């Protein structure tokens, strides 16, 4: 009991400090949109999470690092799952993944799919996602369709994604051909890579508006719509200790173009750590009728990891050609007795604006126009210093807790703030759990800033052999800089009936009030979901009926999510 009281005291003290660490249990695209509307995730996170939810990450062959976009998922959790995939994989089903995932599996479960490998020459899967909203007036982006195809032949992988909305033409979202062994990996096409260092200078993509990523149908074959890295990626384990990697990326659109050239070399020694060097050159061009304007930069970073007594300390420090710099530190504790700790620290020069980066800065961004550009670029790092920590601890055999807090401050700017969170999870086995967490977030964009408090409950419980009851709800209180208050609440109850091992039906009833003080701000929802899961085939349809308080009519939305593997 003293231990629990001490941890609660630490949490209350950390509220005074109050990066975006709030746990989010996303069960649908509606949940993702609502989190964006509540300013709990950034627009970039929103786009990334929608893409993840629609496409899913195939755990046996996909890039697990993409799951880091989910709030509450840590780098340590993903690296442990990657190691389990190599040492104990391939995974047979989601239950197998859950046994090897150290974090909260319910966070990633809606974003993953498992296709067990089969002993045939060519294996793979095809996936279709469709969303149709029968609202009036109709939306220009409705209906929305997305398809994905992935094939595997020995050590070769091919994947392709397309999307289409409303009456617009279909767009190629991404495509790639990959050859992968323990010694060599080569990717031609789109790739999602952060192994060139830890992402301070070379992350995923250059973030510019989709308006300036315009092309005709054939143009998207060369430069797909999402703007991900596109070209050639090579990773070569030259010897037992040395690794060399390189990335060449180019996207050419009617209004803009993007280019990146980068290479890295690293030395690794088991039980000691590694050290490496990254060199990078990136550019973006504004293509106009009268002239083209190019903004380019060159930089380098040193990255490394030291291991001692089960602990890991990582750092990456980068510098650009204009003399600006940035640094990230990570400290991971060994996992002992079900408990662990990790700590992050980041600091960036006030003019540090790398084009292709994936740093540890908070979710706020600054926008800037390079000389003569008609469109702006976004930077998450400039002028910021911050720290974040996470501690997981067992309280009893089935009760575990987690404490998180963060704080950031931006130089020469009133933007500062932080977040703290305490979560408790009781697990009763066989997929039964109760999770309660309290969160406070504070942002001081002026003298007072905004403060948001949120208490959430998530549970899943098997009532009878074939019935599972799932609950999610929250209460939130927000105080704005002007002194105004807003109270919000949501409660959803879902009853799952498993008719057979491969067939289940879900019925969900929810009430959402974004503002309890405004009687026309909320809605009622009822969803019916049949779900079929037969080894390599997965089919899920959701019929969602919704009635907003300011509308007398019910609206219907249909989502279809189907996957077939072979």
């Amino acid at each position: 009991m003293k231990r629990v009281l001490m941890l609660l005291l630490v949490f209350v003290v950390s509220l005074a400090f109050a990066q975006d660490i709030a746990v989010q249990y996303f069960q649908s695209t509606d949940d993702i949109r609502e989190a964006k509307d509540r300013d709990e995730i950034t627009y970039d996170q929103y786009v990334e999470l929608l893409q993840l939810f629609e496409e899913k990450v195939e755990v046996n062959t996909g890039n697990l690092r993409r799951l880091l976009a989910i709030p509450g998922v840590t780098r340590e959790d993903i690296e442990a799952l990657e190691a389990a995939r190599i040492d104990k994989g391939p995974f047979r089903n989601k239950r197998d993944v859950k046994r090897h995932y150290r974090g909260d599996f319910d966070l990633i479960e809606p974003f993953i799919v498992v296709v067990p490998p089969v002993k045939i020459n060519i294996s793979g899967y095809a996936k279709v996602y469709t969303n149709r909203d029968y609202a009036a007036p109709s939306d220009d982006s409705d209906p929305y369709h997305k398809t994905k195809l992935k094939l595997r032949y020995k050590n070769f992988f091919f994947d392709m994604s397309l999307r289409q909305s409303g009456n617009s033409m279909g767009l190629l979202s991404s495509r790639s051909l990959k050859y992968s062994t323990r010694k060599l990996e080569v990717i031609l096409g789109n790739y999602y890579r952060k192994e060139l260092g830890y992402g301070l200078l070379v992350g995923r993509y250059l973030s510019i508006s989709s308006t300036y990523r315009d092309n005709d149908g054939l143009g998207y074959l060369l430069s797909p719509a999402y703007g991900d890295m596109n070209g050639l990626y090579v990773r070569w384990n030259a010897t037992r200790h040395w690794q060399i990697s390189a990335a060449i990326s180019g996207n050419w659109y009617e209004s803009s173009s993007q280019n990146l050239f980068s290479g890295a070399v690293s030395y690794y020694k088991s039980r000691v750590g590694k050290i490496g060097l990254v060199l990078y050159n990136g550019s973006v061009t504004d293509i106009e009728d009268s002239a083209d304007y190019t903004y380019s930069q060159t930089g380098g970073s040193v990255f490394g990891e030291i291991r001692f007594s089960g602990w890991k300390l990582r750092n990456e420090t980068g510098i650009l050609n204009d003399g600006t710099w940035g640094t990230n530190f990570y400290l991971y504790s060994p996992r002992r007795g079900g408990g662990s700790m990790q700590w992050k620290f980041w600091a960036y020069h006030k003019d540090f604006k790398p084009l292709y980066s994936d740093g540890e800065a908070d979710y706020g961004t600054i926008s800037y126009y390079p000389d003569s550009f008609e469109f702006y670029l976004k930077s998450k790092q400039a002028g910021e210093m911050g720290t974040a920590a996470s501690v997981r601890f067992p309280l009893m055999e089935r009760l575990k807790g987690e404490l998180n807090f963060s704080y950031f401050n931006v130089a020469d700017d009133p933007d500062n703030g932080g977040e703290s969170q305490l979560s408790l999870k009781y697990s009763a086995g066989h997929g039964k759990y109760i999770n309660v967490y309290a969160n406070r977030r504070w942002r001081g964009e002026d003298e007072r800033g905004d403060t948001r408090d949120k208490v959430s409950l998530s549970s899943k419980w098997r009532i009878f052999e074939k019935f599972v009851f799932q609950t999610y709800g929250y209460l939130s209180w927000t105080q704005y800089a002007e002194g105004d208050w807003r109270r919000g609440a949501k409660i959803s109850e879902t009853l799952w009936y498993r008719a057979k091992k491969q067939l289940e039906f879900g019925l969900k009833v929810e009430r959402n009030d974004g503002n309890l003080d405004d009687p026309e701000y909320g809605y009622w929802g009822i969803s019916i979901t049949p779900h079929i899961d037969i080894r390599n085939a997965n089919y899920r349809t959701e019929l969602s009926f919704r009635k907003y308080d300011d509308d007398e009519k019910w609206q219907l939305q249909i989502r279809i999510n189907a996957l077939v593997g072979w």
Side-chain angles (χ1 to χ4, degrees):
M1 181 58 68
K2 290 182 179 180
R3 186 179 183 182
V4 176
L5 292 175
M6 179 61 69
L7 290 167
L8 289 174
L9 178 61
V10 171
F11 172 67
V12 172
V13 172
S14 70
L15 292 180
F17 292 95
Q19 220 148 1
D20 192 28
I21 56 176
V23 170
Q24 303 283 341
Y25 290 96
F26 298 117
Q27 299 298 318
S28 68
T29 54
D30 287 337
D31 294 337
I32 300 172
R33 291 188 181 94
E34 289 168 7
K36 177 180 69 72
D37 294 340
R38 294 193 303 267
D39 198 29
E40 294 179 350
I41 59 175
T42 68
Y43 180 77
D44 288 342
Q45 279 181 298
Y46 163 72
V47 174
E48 177 92 3
L49 290 169
L50 279 183
Q51 185 179 349
L52 280 177
F53 193 89
E54 294 163 1
E55 294 186 357
K56 312 294 185 189
V57 174
E58 204 291 299
V59 182
N60 284 318
T61 60
N63 191 339
L64 300 178
R65 299 293 176 100
R66 299 191 64 183
L67 298 173
L68 290 171
I70 306 170
V73 175
T74 69
R75 191 182 298 266
E76 183 183 29
D77 296 333
I78 297 303
E79 289 179 351
L81 188 60
E82 288 176 329
R85 181 171 67 176
I86 294 173
D87 298 336
K88 302 180 180 180
F91 301 114
R92 295 166 296 176
N93 48 50
K94 286 187 177 181
R95 292 187 299 276
D96 204 8
V97 178
K98 185 176 182 179
R99 281 194 294 270
H100 295 94
Y101 184 68
R102 293 181 177 180
D104 189 345
F105 180 75
D106 298 294
L107 291 175
I108 68 170
E109 194 273 336
F111 296 90
I112 65 171
V113 66
V114 181
V115 179
V118 292
K119 295 181 179 180
I120 60 176
N121 288 334
I122 299 178
S123 61
Y125 66 90
K127 188 175 185 307
V128 177
Y129 174 84
T130 295
N131 184 97
R132 187 174 187 103
D133 194 346
Y134 292 90
S138 60
D139 193 307
D140 292 340
S141 62
D142 188 69
Y144 175 77
H145 310 286
K146 190 162 191 176
T147 60
K148 182 172 184 176
L149 173 67
K150 187 159 189 173
L151 302 174
R152 177 178 182 176
Y153 174 72
K154 296 184 179 179
N155 293 322
F156 290 91
F157 301 82
F158 171 79
D159 71 76
M160 179 177 65
S161 298
L162 301 100
R163 63 183 175 93
Q164 188 270 332
S165 60
N167 295 322
S168 62
M169 69 175 182
L171 301 178
L172 183 67
S173 303
S174 64
R175 77 283 180 266
S176 69
L177 177 64
K178 180 174 73 171
Y179 173 80
S180 180
T181 66
R182 285 181 176 267
K183 190 176 183 64
L184 178 67
E185 181 178 65
V186 180
I187 303 176
L188 182 63
N190 292 115
Y191 54 91
Y192 185 107
R193 280 295 178 270
K194 298 177 183 177
E195 285 83 352
L196 294 167
Y198 298 124
L200 185 60
L201 293 181
V202 184
R204 181 187 175 199
Y205 58 84
L206 178 60
S207 179
I208 63 174
S209 170
S210 58
T211 304
Y212 293 91
R213 297 200 305 267
D214 51 342
N215 252 332
D216 55 26
L218 293 177
Y220 283 118
L221 292 176
L222 295 176
S223 302
Y226 277 143
D228 291 348
M229 288 189 181
N230 176 46
L232 178 67
Y233 173 84
V234 179
R235 172 192 54 79
W236 176 39
N237 295 325
T239 68
R240 181 180 177 184
H241 301 291
W242 288 92
Q243 182 183 95
I244 299 172
S245 54
I248 301 174
S249 174
N251 283 302
W252 297 273
Y253 302 104
E254 293 184 357
S255 300
S256 68
S257 66
Q258 312 158 24
N259 294 283
L260 175 141
F261 303 91
S262 184
V265 59
S266 62
Y267 176 82
Y268 172 81
K269 191 169 184 179
S270 178
R271 300 182 182 180
V272 176
K274 69 177 178 180
I275 187 171
L277 171 68
V278 175
L279 296 178
Y280 144 87
N281 177 266
S283 65
V284 58
T285 300
D286 182 0
I287 301 175
E288 302 178 17
D289 294 335
S290 57
D292 296 345
Y293 301 96
T294 299
Y295 175 68
S296 61
Q297 62 183 205
T298 303
S301 69
V302 177
F303 64 94
E305 176 182 289
I306 300 176
R307 302 183 180 187
F308 52 96
S309 303
W311 291 76
K312 291 189 293 185
L313 175 63
R314 290 179 176 175
N315 171 251
E316 181 179 18
T317 300
I319 186 170
L320 297 175
N321 57 296
D322 59 3
T324 60
W325 54 268
T327 186
N328 292 332
F329 282 92
Y330 311 80
L331 177 65
Y332 302 95
S333 76
R335 184 179 175 89
R336 293 172 180 167
S340 63
M341 182 274 290
Q342 59 178 287
W343 169 75
K344 303 176 186 178
F345 172 81
W346 59 91
Y348 307 107
H349 186 277
K350 64 183 181 67
D351 294 318
F352 184 66
K353 301 171 183 176
L355 292 176
Y356 296 84
S357 67
D358 185 54
E360 293 296 331
D362 80 294
Y363 71 92
T365 61
I366 64 169
S367 301
Y368 63 99
Y369 287 83
D371 291 342
S372 303
F373 268 48
E374 288 189 349
F375 60 83
Y376 62 83
L377 303 176
K378 293 190 293 185
S379 173
K380 293 186 178 182
Q381 286 85 1
E384 183 172 302
M385 181 173 66
T387 185
S390 174
V391 181
R392 294 174 179 171
F393 48 90
L395 295 171
M396 294 185 294
E397 181 180 359
R398 296 184 179 273
L399 181 63
K400 296 180 180 180
E402 183 170 346
L403 176 66
N404 299 275
F405 77 91
S406 68
Y407 177 79
F408 70 89
N409 185 77
V410 180
D412 300 332
D413 192 283
D415 187 17
N416 60 85
E419 189 169 356
S420 58
Q421 177 174 291
L422 174 66
S423 63
L424 300 173
K425 185 167 186 176
Y426 175 78
S427 301
H430 302 289
K432 297 185 291 186
Y433 66 85
I434 299 175
N435 190 6
V436 180
Y437 65 88
N439 172 271
R440 161 165 280 200
R441 189 181 64 187
W442 164 66
R443 290 186 62 82
E445 295 184 348
D446 51 34
E447 292 183 358
R448 291 193 57 179
D450 302 336
T451 302
R452 180 190 297 267
D453 297 306
K454 184 177 179 182
V455 178
S456 301
L457 167 69
S458 175
S459 69
K460 188 176 183 180
W461 212 262
R462 187 178 300 278
I463 307 174
F464 302 108
E465 182 179 355
K466 294 186 176 183
F467 289 91
V468 174
F469 198 58
Q470 195 167 1
T471 301
Y472 176 70
Y474 70 79
L475 291 171
S476 65
W477 301 265
T478 304
Q479 183 180 19
Y480 295 97
E482 299 81 9
D484 298 332
W485 281 84
R486 173 182 288 185
R487 298 175 301 146
K490 178 178 180 178
I491 181 71
S492 69
E493 305 284 355
T494 306
L495 178 64
W496 288 98
Y497 170 66
R498 174 158 288 189
K500 295 183 178 181
K501 185 176 181 180
Q502 301 88 0
L503 176 64
E504 62 180 357
F505 297 91
L507 175 63
K508 180 172 75 172
V509 179
E510 65 176 329
R511 171 64 189 177
N512 189 315
D513 276 296
N515 186 354
L516 290 171
D517 300 314
D518 186 345
E520 297 185 351
Y521 205 82
Y523 66 83
W524 287 94
I526 300 175
S527 300
I528 303 171
T529 307
H531 182 204
I532 303 173
D533 190 355
I534 306 175
R535 186 170 170 78
N536 290 340
N538 190 301
Y539 179 84
R540 182 187 184 103
T541 298
E542 180 178 329
L543 286 79
S544 178
F545 300 89
R546 182 173 296 181
K547 181 185 179 300
Y548 290 90
D549 293 346
D550 59 352
D551 191 351
E552 296 181 355
K553 298 180 180 180
W554 284 81
Q555 298 180 6
L556 170 64
Q557 188 176 57
I558 297 178
R559 300 185 182 98
I560 299 175
N561 216 323
L563 180 145
V564 177
W566 59 87

